[in-house]
Amino acid sequence: MSREMTGAQIVVEALKEQGVDTIFGYPGGAVLPIYDAIFQQNDIKHILVRHEQGATHAAEGYARSTGKPGVVLVTSGPGATNVVTGMTDALMDSIPMIVLSGQVPTFMIGNDAFQEADTVGITRPCSKHNWLVKDTADLAETIHQAFHIATSGRPGPVLVDIPKDVQFASAPYKAKAKTSTARYQPQVKGDIEAITRAVEAFEQAERPIIYSGGGVINSGVASSQLLRELVTSSNSPITSTLMGLGAYPASGDNWLGMLGMHGTVEANLAMHGCDFMLCVGARFDDRITGRTDAFSPDSFKVHMDIDPSSINKIIRVDVPIIGDIGHILEDFLKVWKARGRKTKSAAIKKWWSQINEWQARNCLDFTNSDTIIKPQHALQRLEELTKNMDRYITTEVGQHQMWAAQYLNFDDPHRFMTSGGLGTMGYGLPASVGVQVAHPEALVINIAGDASFQMNMQEMATAIQFNLPVKQFILNNERLGMVRQWQQLLHGERYSQSWSESLPDFVKLAEAFGAKGILVSDPADLDEAIKEMLAYDGPVILDCVVEKHENCFPMIPSGKAHNEMILCDEETADAIDAAGKSRV
Amino acid sequence: MTLHLKKGSSRKSAYDLKNPLDELEETHTLAVLVDNEAGVLARVIGLFSGRGYNIDSLTVAETDAEGHRSRITIVTTGTPAVIEQIKAQLGLIIPVYRVNDLTVEGPSVEREMALLKVAGKGEKRVEAMRLADIFRANVVDSTLESFVFEITGAPEKIDAFTDLMRPLGLCDIARTGVAAMARGI
């Protein structure tokens, strides 16, 4: 006979049974019973954020750095509406997240009660699935289902809305083992015929490229190992999306750097010129493809993805393989090996000499300065001084994010947390909090811009409260850098609202929170400032004042193809035509 | 010679000469079997509005009370790529059990029911009655100055009947939308 408990106790029990050790949340009237149940136990640690959006990004950081789902607990009404951005972010980037929200009691729903909102209605388009639980007897099963759905198939956010009377009422607890998950079982094994066809094309490839994405990382560390084995044993060049960085090591011999709008010349030209493309767990996002009708015109395309709706959505492919990347890669390698590990090695060698020529252009070179810190230089120094450390990087969104992807090297999966699909400014600081909670001993650095940092800077207080020594590395150009760059390229240098007129003194701000603040503006002092940041045992804001009008290159202007990149300021005149202007 | 009629692609032409990759729009009838749970219809409709797909017709009702299943029949228009995307996206909705594209999966029957109120006197009233007879519409309500006709058939038949009733005093119309099913077993 199962034990009878209150709904609030059921929530805590179900979380424990699901192996949850940490939740990120903020209390309020409609979740008080659950907070009371949390108060009476010690197994689950609650991280009190300062804004519910912060809770969602912290949970994302926790999830992406561990591979486990992130759990968020918020109250009804504003608590629930504040999680919408984070849930949308998690949906776009396939992050497993379970949001538990309080709701007004069932008998008050629909009455426009205090702090009532149609939470399931509002979060329907930004969740993988959501539930309003109207009966305590269904609560445990719903939470177990929620974990199952959030973590299987293509991961994503789910929300369970729990009215206050359901939290107070009692019902027997239903164990995870007794919950049926048969209803949702996405295909994990790839079709072996399709895999064989892909291998056949792979064997014939003279100019292959492997283009990997976040799906490899979501599939688990073993998938990254399989990817590395495939790349190494076939000597294929590999590039990756922003979300996939670290699946193949940046220090690896076959690495071409990131591709796409701000990807490297060699990666984009290899994508354009290849005759065989193996897309592993990526989704042909518009930041990757550029102009779709000119995207990799001569290649045979194989697309491995767990989400059937990603197939042929943007780019038509020759062989789609639906399933979990780990399973598909394993079978792909098995078939390829069984058929004798064939490659056109002479042709691939020739392909590499072409790629080496492109690499020799050193597209990430920039003009350094000894009077002002260049943002690229700051990141190069940060990379140099931290590369051997147990390091996790988060970013905000904008120029600094792209520079971080270009100039920092990621040799392992789960080490780079950034908002890719949604592009959420304000992601990085709370994400760094979540990462540090999961990895208390590691070095966690948030690469930020002065504008993005201010979007969720209240979470510095969370870092202080829970002794989380997160390092905030602000590349301060007193601008909304990426907006400014686009205004320069697209809108006749009319910098509409992209200035930060009244920036706070970040050093004083750090001190006001109880953190350490460091200001650096002279390139000569940069290394010392970074070392000081690394040495301090506690949260730090490093205000790194950088060149104000530096542009992020290479850049595929909107509406252009992979072979139409611009590499420096001199090439920007009329780089974007009228059709490109209307794109984002 | 057998004509390979592919419904939707051949509304205007008897010949199916379409290239599957071209950008012409086609009409497809989708049968979507779902768990009859709260909000399931909102999920389906939200998908269509959120991603900019068309809904030409939509019907929904519980078809299995014990199993809590409902069947949603959607008639939609889009390029072949969009239709594929619609089916894939529908498949992602958790309470969706199955998506069948009745337009491509073989022959199917489509029926729709409509109620039409026609007001009139004299010759027009007689003509309305006569046409109703030809279309095998039933009179389900009658006053001295009006009829309510019930008509069942393919949507085109109802369109035709509606057009005929318009000059005869059509003053109100309610259509159920299409219910569809594959032929044979």
Side-chain angles (χ1 to χ4, degrees):
Chain A
M1 191 58 207
S2 6
R3 288 160 296 159
E4 183 97 0
M5 333 178 169
T6 67
Q9 289 166 332
I10 286 174
V11 170
V12 172
E13 187 62 29
L15 292 179
K16 280 188 207 168
E17 209 191 347
Q18 290 288 345
V20 174
D21 52 21
T22 309
I23 57 179
F24 302 89
Y26 203 98
V31 275
L32 285 178
I34 297 175
Y35 271 88
D36 199 34
I38 286 171
F39 188 83
Q40 298 175 47
Q41 56 84 48
N42 290 314
D43 297 327
I44 298 174
K45 185 175 182 186
H46 181 275
I47 304 294
L48 176 69
V49 294
R50 298 305 188 265
H51 185 289
E52 290 89 350
Q53 187 190 351
T56 57
H57 297 321
E60 284 186 275
Y62 178 93
R64 294 191 59 184
S65 65
T66 60
K68 295 195 284 184
V71 183
V72 173
L73 176 60
V74 296
T75 192
S76 64
T81 56
N82 279 343
V83 301
V84 167
T85 303
M87 288 183 71
T88 311
D89 194 273
L91 188 72
M92 291 285 260
D93 287 347
S94 310
I95 311 299
M97 182 199 289
I98 292 93
V99 180
L100 306 172
S101 56
Q103 181 56 280
V104 301
T106 49
F107 53 85
M108 291 174 82
I109 288 176
N111 285 352
D112 294 326
F114 176 65
Q115 292 195 330
E116 180 184 355
D118 175 11
T119 303
V120 287
I122 290 168
T123 59
R124 202 173 281 132
C126 63
S127 61
K128 197 174 165 188
H129 196 57
N130 61 13
W131 298 261
L132 169 64
V133 182
K134 287 181 169 171
D135 185 342
T136 308
D138 299 331
L139 187 53
E141 178 164 14
T142 306
I143 293 174
H144 295 316
Q145 294 281 8
F147 275 84
H148 172 66
I149 288 171
T151 54
S152 45
R154 180 175 175 177
V158 298
L159 178 140
V160 184
D161 202 25
I162 313 170
K164 196 170 184 181
D165 55 334
V166 173
Q167 300 169 33
F168 274 125
S170 292
Y173 178 76
K174 187 165 183 177
K176 181 182 167 188
K178 289 187 177 161
T179 300
S180 165
T181 52
R183 180 66 183 80
Y184 181 72
Q185 290 296 341
Q187 181 181 345
V188 290
K189 289 287 273 187
D191 175 41
I192 201 75
E193 260 177 54
I195 290 173
T196 308
R197 269 196 296 149
V199 169
E200 282 165 9
F202 181 62
E203 288 167 349
Q204 297 305 316
E206 299 190 343
R207 301 187 308 279
I209 183 140
I210 296 176
Y211 141 50
S212 72
V216 182
I217 294 174
N218 273 336
S219 174
V221 177
S223 299
S224 295
Q225 286 305 326
L226 291 166
L227 179 73
R228 291 168 187 213
E229 186 186 341
L230 177 65
V231 170
T232 310
S233 54
S234 65
N235 193 28
S236 305
I238 177 166
T239 178
S240 162
T241 66
L242 183 68
M243 305 309 293
L245 294 177
Y248 181 83
S251 58
D253 291 338
N254 297 45
W255 177 240
L256 303 188
M258 182 176 75
L259 82 164
M261 184 172 269
H262 293 290
T264 63
V265 166
E266 48 270 33
N268 285 337
L269 290 183
M271 287 289 280
H272 193 80
C274 67
D275 70 345
F276 174 86
M277 179 187 297
L278 185 63
C279 168
V280 190
R283 60 183 178 91
F284 297 98
D285 178 86
D286 56 63
R287 299 292 100 164
I288 296 306
T289 60
R291 211 176 101 196
T292 49
D293 59 357
F295 175 76
S296 193
D298 303 319
S299 59
F300 185 93
K301 299 178 184 73
V302 176
H303 186 184
M304 302 172 170
D305 204 302
I306 199 158
D307 175 5
S309 77
S310 286
I311 307 290
N312 291 337
K313 182 167 70 178
I314 295 158
I315 299 293
R316 286 202 81 82
V317 296
D318 299 284
V319 179
I321 307 171
I322 295 165
D324 177 73
I325 293 303
H327 286 87
I328 298 174
L329 281 179
E330 195 179 354
D331 287 343
F332 186 94
L333 275 164
K334 223 180 268 173
V335 172
W336 180 61
K337 285 176 187 167
R339 290 166 55 97
R341 297 169 172 262
K342 282 177 275 188
T343 57
K344 298 245 174 196
S345 54
I348 292 175
K349 223 169 168 186
K350 210 171 131 212
W351 176 226
W352 267 112
S353 60
Q354 168 69 72
I355 291 172
N356 292 339
E357 256 174 57
W358 291 328
Q359 285 173 321
R361 287 165 72 173
N362 292 321
C363 66
L364 294 180
D365 273 3
F366 58 95
T367 316
N368 211 348
S369 158
D370 20 315
T371 51
I372 189 141
I373 301 174
K374 291 284 188 153
Q376 302 96 320
H377 175 67
L379 287 166
Q380 280 181 336
R381 294 314 304 155
L382 184 70
E383 167 68 18
E384 191 55 35
L385 294 168
T386 61
K387 63 183 177 187
N388 295 322
M389 299 180 176
D390 179 16
R391 180 188 78 176
Y392 292 83
I393 299 288
T394 69
T395 77
E396 305 285 346
V397 168
Q399 284 183 321
H400 64 272
Q401 176 190 29
M402 291 297 106
W403 281 318
Q406 291 171 336
Y407 294 94
L408 300 180
N409 290 332
F410 301 98
D411 279 351
D412 292 297
H414 300 296
R415 295 284 173 159
F416 184 50
M417 276 49 68
T418 191
S419 171
L422 194 64
T424 309
M425 290 172 73
Y427 169 91
L429 166 50
S432 71
V433 166
V435 174
Q436 190 82 73
V437 169
H439 309 276
E441 304 303 324
L443 168 65
V444 182
I445 306 173
N446 173 34
I447 311 297
D450 51 282
S452 283
F453 179 80
Q454 292 181 81
M455 278 215 183
N456 268 323
M457 64 183 180
Q458 76 284 349
E459 300 307 330
M460 282 303 292
T462 310
I464 297 290
Q465 181 182 341
F466 294 93
N467 297 317
L468 304 168
V470 290
K471 314 299 183 206
Q472 305 300 317
F473 192 76
I474 302 179
L475 295 170
N476 181 354
N477 57 7
E478 299 171 25
R479 300 286 183 280
L480 280 66
M482 194 60 95
V483 171
R484 190 211 55 74
Q485 178 169 342
W486 279 59
Q487 287 172 334
Q488 181 190 338
L489 299 181
L490 284 160
H491 296 281
E493 301 183 42
R494 293 181 295 280
Y495 298 129
S496 179
Q497 307 296 322
S498 56
W499 302 69
S500 301
E501 285 278 357
S502 52
L503 277 181
D505 178 330
F506 286 113
V507 172
K508 282 187 185 157
L509 185 71
E511 286 161 2
F513 277 115
K516 182 181 178 66
I518 305 169
L519 173 71
V520 60
S521 55
D522 186 339
D525 303 332
L526 181 60
D527 275 23
E528 271 319 300
I530 292 174
K531 285 178 190 161
E532 193 183 348
M533 172 184 87
L534 298 173
Y536 185 70
D537 183 21
V540 178
I541 297 177
L542 175 58
D543 182 8
C544 183
V545 178
V546 298
E547 167 73 52
K548 297 187 197 321
H549 280 201
E550 190 73 15
N551 281 331
C552 184
F553 294 118
M555 177 180 186
I556 303 177
S558 44
K560 298 283 182 169
H562 276 170
N563 57 348
E564 300 174 287
M565 272 166 289
I566 46 179
L567 295 180
C568 58
D569 280 314
E570 289 68 42
E571 298 175 6
T572 56
D574 301 321
I576 301 174
D577 55 24
K581 276 188 189 178
S582 64
R583 293 169 175 267
V584 285
Chain B
M1 196 186 104
T2 326
L3 286 180
H4 292 283
L5 286 177
K6 190 177 161 198
K7 221 178 341 159
S9 63
S10 55
R11 266 220 166 139
K12 300 278 186 324
S13 162
Y15 299 92
D16 182 18
L17 301 172
K18 282 179 57 59
N19 175 345
L21 296 181
D22 72 13
E23 289 300 297
L24 281 179
E25 296 206 331
E26 13 183 275
T27 300
H28 284 239
T29 303
L30 308 177
V32 187
L33 196 63
V34 299
D35 276 328
N36 187 18
E37 62 178 41
V40 64
L41 187 60
R43 286 180 208 284
V44 171
I45 294 172
L47 169 68
F48 277 75
S49 65
R51 292 184 183 264
Y53 306 142
N54 300 309
I55 297 181
D56 295 348
S57 158
L58 179 127
T59 61
V60 54
E62 190 169 66
T63 50
D64 173 5
E66 243 171 59
H68 293 288
R69 300 284 171 82
S70 289
R71 181 167 166 131
I72 301 176
T73 309
I74 305 170
V75 181
T76 183
T77 319
T79 62
V82 167
I83 299 284
E84 284 309 307
Q85 199 37 220
I86 289 173
K87 288 188 269 183
Q89 292 289 348
L90 282 169
L92 294 185
I93 297 176
I94 305 290
V96 168
Y97 267 82
R98 212 172 59 216
V99 181
N100 286 104
D101 186 341
L102 299 175
T103 305
V104 298
E105 289 175 12
S108 61
V109 284
E110 290 187 0
R111 288 294 179 269
E112 184 175 1
M113 199 268 271
L115 297 173
L116 291 88
K117 186 176 284 177
V118 180
K121 286 181 179 171
E123 191 48 40
K124 282 190 172 175
R125 184 173 162 86
V126 176
E127 184 60 20
M129 196 63 202
R130 196 157 39 217
L131 285 167
D133 198 37
I134 294 168
F135 276 81
R136 286 182 234 160
N138 298 321
V139 177
V140 293
D141 176 65
S142 176
T143 68
L144 290 174
E145 292 171 2
S146 71
F147 290 121
V148 174
F149 295 117
E150 173 206 316
I151 181 168
T152 305
E156 294 79 6
K157 175 181 166 182
I158 294 173
D159 290 345
F161 186 64
T162 309
D163 288 345
L164 288 169
M165 287 300 120
R166 205 157 271 134
L168 299 177
L170 178 67
C171 56
D172 204 2
I173 179 163
R175 295 176 69 151
T176 59
V178 173
M181 192 166 280
R183 288 179 187 270
I185 45 167

